[in-house]
């Protein structure tokens, strides 16, 4: 186990201990989905039995470019010819109200919209291309 893995394992143990004593614990993981976050937590040593008592919500997000509102992607003076003006979030998020829903998620079941679904919605709305 390298130094980074030891630090991650120690940090995860401390977070679990804090959550078990009733503290609100928020963490950041570098994954691209809710199921990926669970896999990452397990990789750094958080046991699935602990997760079922502690996890109540997970969000995975990325930024995508949004079209320029003036030219709608064609390129204009306002967007300096790029066709884009800003960024917005696409996300995958779910609240797990009880241990049964956490168990389903840990078992690999997915019943929430994923990040691709959110991106397609932004495309249909005309926010991005």
């Amino acid at each position: 186990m390298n130094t980074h893995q030891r630090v991650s394992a120690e940090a995860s143990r401390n977070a679990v201990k804090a959550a078990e004593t009733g503290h609100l614990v928020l963490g950041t993981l570098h994954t691209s989905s809710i199921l990926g976050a669970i896999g990452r937590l397990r990789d750094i040593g958080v046991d699935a039995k602990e997760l079922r008592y502690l996890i109540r919500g997970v969000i995975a997000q990325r930024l995508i470019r949004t079209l320029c509102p003036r030219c709608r992607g064609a390129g204009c003076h306002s967007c300096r010819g790029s066709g884009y003006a800003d960024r917005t979030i696409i996300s995958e998020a779910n609240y797990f109200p009880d241990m049964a829903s956490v168990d389903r998620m840990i078992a690999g079941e997915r019943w929430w919209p994923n990040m691709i679904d959110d991106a397609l919605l932004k495309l249909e709305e005309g926010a991005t291309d």
Side-chain angles (χ1 to χ4, degrees):
M1 183 181 286
N2 66 36
T3 303
H4 178 71
Q5 290 170 321
R6 278 194 303 276
V7 170
S8 292
E10 182 179 342
S12 67
R13 280 192 300 276
N14 290 338
V16 167
K17 286 179 187 177
E20 287 174 339
T21 60
H23 292 82
L24 174 63
V25 177
L26 302 173
T28 302
L29 301 168
H30 295 278
T31 67
S32 60
S33 69
I34 291 173
L35 294 177
I38 299 310
R40 179 73 179 116
L41 286 168
R42 292 170 94 174
D43 288 346
I44 60 176
V46 180
D47 187 69
K49 290 180 283 187
E50 294 171 313
L51 290 176
R52 72 187 305 252
Y53 295 105
L54 304 176
I55 292 236
R56 288 299 169 255
V58 180
I59 182 170
Q61 63 186 18
R62 289 187 177 187
L63 292 174
I64 59 168
R65 299 186 302 179
T66 56
L67 295 174
C68 172
R70 291 199 175 149
C71 68
R72 303 305 301 161
C76 67
H77 178 71
S78 179
C79 65
R80 298 182 182 172
S82 72
Y84 298 98
D86 227 338
R87 295 184 183 263
T88 191
I89 293 172
I90 56 170
S91 64
E92 175 176 321
N94 200 44
Y95 170 67
F96 305 99
D98 52 38
M99 286 185 286
S101 63
V102 175
D103 288 342
R104 289 173 54 201
M105 183 245 323
I106 289 172
E109 186 178 339
R110 187 179 66 81
W111 61 93
W112 54 86
N114 65 26
M115 204 175 305
I116 298 294
D117 296 331
D118 193 26
L120 291 172
L121 180 62
K122 301 270 190 320
L123 177 66
E124 290 171 11
E125 292 171 346
T128 193
D129 58 0

